[in-house]
């Protein structure tokens, strides 16, 4: 356990059967947190891995687009633990489609999972968190929720989540619940599968010169869940190797071949 850093006793993570969510779950369990691993996909492997390593976890079938499923999962947590101190709204899908290629079905599906899901989730957990003495909610947005991004469904869902986080932060402050959003750049997970050309081109605009390792996002999520961030709420935390702040000039300088006169 990290010296002196305290985490909530119980944390619920959505989309935790794979990718970054599974990484967050393992990292929290290593720090003594009981992790509620929620996903539409089978969570058994992640839960077994955590238990085999000596940690505590439970698996929860959850489609984040279904408010009734959220209510059931929160009931399960209340019955088993009586408290909940953290929620990571991590479940998300990406469709890299330009405007006119975005069907109504894709638009609706992406918005439902990436934006409606966290709304339903925060509504479902707020009272249990309040009754637990407060807590920390971390919403996984994206740099696509901070800048213009070519794919309208993904970008709008993540911009929506950026705003939703700030609204929730204001609403829930009176209950000691903090709400912050995390904005990863490009991270090596299955979400980028099949996007090799896109990723290679994007890396040319990343001052750090590479994509992120999932653990580099986990470190930020851990910080926001812990008592090391008790005065942070309503914040946008960008974790992108400098892409948003410096990507444009990084590429210009690189492409100029050193001739900056
Ligand atoms: P991933 O595809 O590896 O994992 C996403 C998980 O979400 C999967 O386990 C999937 O089963 C689950 N999921 C999908 N629909 C769901 C639903 N309706 N209900 C419950 N669970 C559902 O993705 P990842 O890269 O680990 O992404 C995690 C989060 O980070 C997402 O919100 C994503 O938008 C965001 N993000 C990712 C990147 C990146 O480059 N990978 C960059 C910025 C933001």
């Amino acid at each position: 356990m990290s010296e002196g850093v305290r985490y909530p006793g119980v944390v619920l993570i959505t989309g935790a059967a794979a990718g970054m969510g599974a990484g967050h779950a393992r990292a929290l369990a290593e720090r003594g947190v009981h992790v509620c691993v929620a996903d539409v996909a089978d969570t058994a492997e992640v839960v077994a891995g955590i238990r085999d390593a000596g940690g505590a976890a439970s698996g929860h079938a959850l489609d984040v687009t279904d408010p009734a499923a959220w209510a059931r999962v929160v009931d399960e947590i209340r019955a088993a633990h009586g408290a909940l101190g953290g929620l990571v709204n991590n479940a998300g899908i990406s469709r890299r489609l330009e405007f006119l290629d975005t069907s109504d079905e894709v638009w609706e599906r992406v918005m439902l999972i990436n934006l409606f899901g966290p709304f339903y989730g925060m509504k479902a957990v707020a009272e249990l968190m309040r009754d637990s003495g407060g807590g920390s909610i971390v919403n996984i947005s994206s740099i696509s929720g901070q800048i213009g991004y070519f794919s309208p469904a993904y970008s709008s869902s993540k911009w929506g989540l950026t705003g939703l986080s700030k609204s929730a932060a204001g609403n829930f402050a009176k209950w000691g619940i903090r709400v912050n959003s995390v904005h990863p750049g490009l991270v090596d997970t299955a979400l980028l599968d099949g996007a090799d050309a896109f990723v290679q081109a994007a890396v040319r605009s990343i001052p750090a010169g590479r994509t992120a390792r999932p653990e580099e996002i986990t470190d930020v999520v851990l910080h926001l869940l812990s008592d090391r961030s008790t005065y942070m709420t309503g914040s946008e935390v960008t974790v992108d190797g400098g892409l948003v702040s410096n990507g444009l000039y990084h590429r210009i300088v690189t492409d100029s071949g050193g001739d900056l006169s």
Side-chain angles (χ1 to χ4, degrees):
M1 186 182 290
S2 309
E3 281 270 309
V5 184
R6 285 164 32 141
Y7 296 92
V10 183
V11 172
L12 168 61
I13 308 180
T14 69
M20 282 187 265
H24 305 333
R26 285 189 282 263
L28 282 165
E30 282 167 14
R31 286 157 179 80
V33 175
H34 178 103
V35 188
C36 302
V37 179
D39 206 301
V40 269
D42 190 358
T43 58
E45 202 179 313
V46 173
V47 171
I50 288 173
R51 289 181 180 159
D52 288 350
S58 47
H60 303 266
L62 173 68
D63 179 341
V64 296
T65 69
D66 179 359
W70 272 107
R72 178 182 41 73
V73 169
V74 171
D75 283 348
E76 289 166 3
I77 295 170
R78 187 184 283 107
H81 306 284
L84 178 68
L87 167 67
V88 184
N89 277 311
N90 165 79
I93 59 169
S94 175
R95 296 286 178 267
R96 285 172 292 274
L97 297 166
E98 291 191 76
F99 211 106
L100 297 185
D101 297 326
T102 300
S103 67
D104 297 352
E105 290 72 25
V106 165
W107 168 262
E108 196 171 320
R109 189 78 193 132
V110 172
M111 294 298 271
L112 272 172
I113 294 174
N114 294 4
L115 181 57
F116 286 45
F119 172 70
Y120 295 144
M122 288 194 282
K123 256 181 118 171
V125 304
E127 285 163 322
L128 178 56
M129 244 183 212
R130 175 198 63 194
D131 298 344
S132 312
S136 171
I137 297 175
V138 181
N139 290 323
I140 308 297
S141 179
S142 163
I143 56 169
S144 312
Q146 298 181 298
I147 55 171
Y149 178 67
F150 70 91
S151 192
Y154 191 72
S155 191
S156 301
S157 71
K158 295 300 192 181
W159 269 96
L161 186 52
T162 307
L164 181 65
S165 300
K166 293 188 195 303
S167 174
N171 274 272
F172 297 150
K174 60 181 178 287
W175 292 340
I177 301 173
R178 300 181 293 109
V179 186
N180 295 286
S181 54
V182 172
H183 302 260
L186 278 80
V187 190
D188 292 324
T189 71
L191 198 97
L192 296 181
D193 281 356
D196 294 354
F198 171 75
V199 172
Q200 269 173 24
V203 166
R204 294 182 54 224
S205 290
I206 302 175
R210 60 174 178 82
T211 53
R213 296 184 296 275
E215 315 84 82
E216 294 176 306
I217 313 305
T218 295
D219 283 339
V220 175
V221 172
L222 290 176
H223 180 72
L224 291 173
L225 289 170
S226 80
D227 68 347
R228 292 297 164 95
S229 59
T230 48
Y231 204 54
M232 287 185 74
T233 195
S235 296
E236 291 171 43
V237 185
T238 304
V239 195
D240 69 344
L243 176 55
V244 165
S245 63
N246 281 280
L248 176 61
Y249 274 103
H250 174 74
R251 193 158 189 148
I252 290 171
V253 169
T254 306
D255 289 355
S256 71
D259 179 8
L260 304 175
S261 52

